[in-house]
Amino acid sequence: MSEATAEPRYAARASRMRASEIREYLKLIDQPGLISFAGGIPDPALFPAAAFAETYARVLADPARSRSALQYSVSEGYLPLRQWIAARMLSDRTIACTADNVVITSGSQQALDFIGKLLISTGDTALVTAPTYLGALMAFNAYEPRYDTLPLDATNRTPAAYADAADRAGGTVKLAYAVPDFANPTGATMSAAARVKLLELADALDCAVVEDTAYTELRFSGEAVPSLASLEIARKGSIEASRVIHCGTFSKVMAPALRIGWIVAAKPIVRRFVLVKQAADLHSGTLDQMVMHEVADATFDTQIAKVRASYGARRDAMLAALARHMPKGVRWSQPDGGMFVWASLPEGQDAAALVQRAVSEARVAYVPGRAFFTDGTGANTFRLSFTLPTPPEIEDGIARLARVFATV
């Protein structure tokens, strides 16, 4: 007689939680000799490790500072770090705000979870691009939304059409989520005109705009485009009238393991996030925030320049290798920055079905694209990350991958 499972009776929402396909592929590719284009992982050789080591030692060696660093703290986050972020928002992104408009989160992924918790009721609609960031879908899914497609280019669809579809599903449109700069997974950048249209759509639908800027610092070419938050402030006159929830992170440039991200929004919205933060984990680690503040204050500009130079060269190596080796019918994006190239096989081919062959025969890994679509389409698409392999590894890996695709 078999034993009954020890698992409890889960909430209905638990059925919507799925393992990240990307994380599952990372388990598969942790093999010697395999070239991975799968995970969007920063190169650890670029982390300012010496600066972090020295700063941790200095903070902990000071009795007064170490007591504060190791103690409980305020949910909003370490004030000097929030002040630093507010200053950078103004200088780099023309987002006029103060520390009171900033709350520190445990990575921008926690910010997305908080947004879902605060905004989405069962059956409400979230507008997302097709494809969109898988981590955002995972964060929102627990709150049982319905998804609709957010257009990035011209469309004949009216705000009323979005509202009517949401109403028929039993809810309202609560948010529009976008990664406007070098999006994960496509590497695409929204034009200024598309950003304005998105803000106008949000006004018509009376919904929040979630701006995920995880990759904004990683521009290698082209002209910078104003952030959604800065465009909204220019339209409305103040951040306090803004409907944009602006999310950022240190993970892509400084150190992902410290899990330090932030939300910038109008003060009433920030106060709501503070309440959610108190219920979730009280506050992000104070010691890590103190150290991040000092390291970022001393090294951020030079760190960005170093990372841009390295990743820009790797992007160029990947685009050149794709042009040299890929068989006819394979297409790919030309990103101005970020971490990813988005590609597609000829219609009718399945990237997920080929990934096992790529790993076993060519010793190369990538991420199939279907997981990034809410409707299960995109079977012929796939994502390539260029940030971890070296340029010679990129050349070798793309050549190997092309040989697999050429035999289909």
Side-chain angles (χ1 to χ4, degrees), residues 188-244:
T189 296
M190 291 178 67
S191 68
R195 297 180 194 214
V196 171
K197 288 184 180 298
L198 172 54
L199 295 172
E200 292 172 345
L201 176 64
D203 279 346
L205 294 171
D206 190 24
C207 72
V209 174
V210 180
E211 180 177 31
D212 188 341
T213 65
Y215 308 97
T216 296
E217 306 291 356
L218 302 180
R219 176 174 287 280
F220 318 134
S221 58
E223 295 295 323
V225 184
S227 67
L228 286 162
S230 67
L231 290 169
E232 175 79 338
I233 290 169
R235 294 169 73 239
K236 303 291 178 62
S238 166
I239 192 171
E240 301 310 322
S242 171
R243 63 174 68 251
V244 175

Side-chain angles (χ1 to χ4, degrees), residues 72-136:
Y72 286 116
S73 187
V74 297
S75 300
E76 290 86 345
Y78 181 55
L79 179 58
L81 179 59
R82 291 188 290 123
Q83 291 171 328
W84 186 91
I85 290 169
R88 295 294 300 207
M89 291 296 99
L90 180 59
S91 64
D92 292 2
R93 305 183 187 182
T94 60
I95 300 171
C97 64
T98 71
D100 290 336
N101 298 109
V102 181
V103 60
I104 303 299
T105 59
S106 296
S108 59
Q109 189 65 29
Q110 186 181 63
L112 295 175
D113 177 66
F114 287 176
I115 287 165
K117 186 176 291 185
L118 271 178
L119 298 184
I120 299 171
S121 298
T122 300
D124 280 338
T125 292
L127 304 183
V128 298
T129 57
T132 197
Y133 172 48
L134 179 58

Side-chain angles (χ1 to χ4, degrees), residues 127-180:
L127 304 183
V128 298
T129 57
T132 197
Y133 172 48
L134 179 58
L137 299 179
M138 294 178 66
F140 299 155
N141 279 348
Y143 306 105
E144 304 176 86
R146 165 190 172 268
Y147 292 108
D148 205 341
T149 302
L150 177 66
L152 294 183
D153 299 310
T155 177
N156 293 325
R157 196 165 179 196
T158 64
Y162 280 103
D164 290 346
D167 182 67
R168 289 194 299 272
T172 61
V173 178
K174 286 293 186 66
L175 64 89
Y177 169 79
V179 186

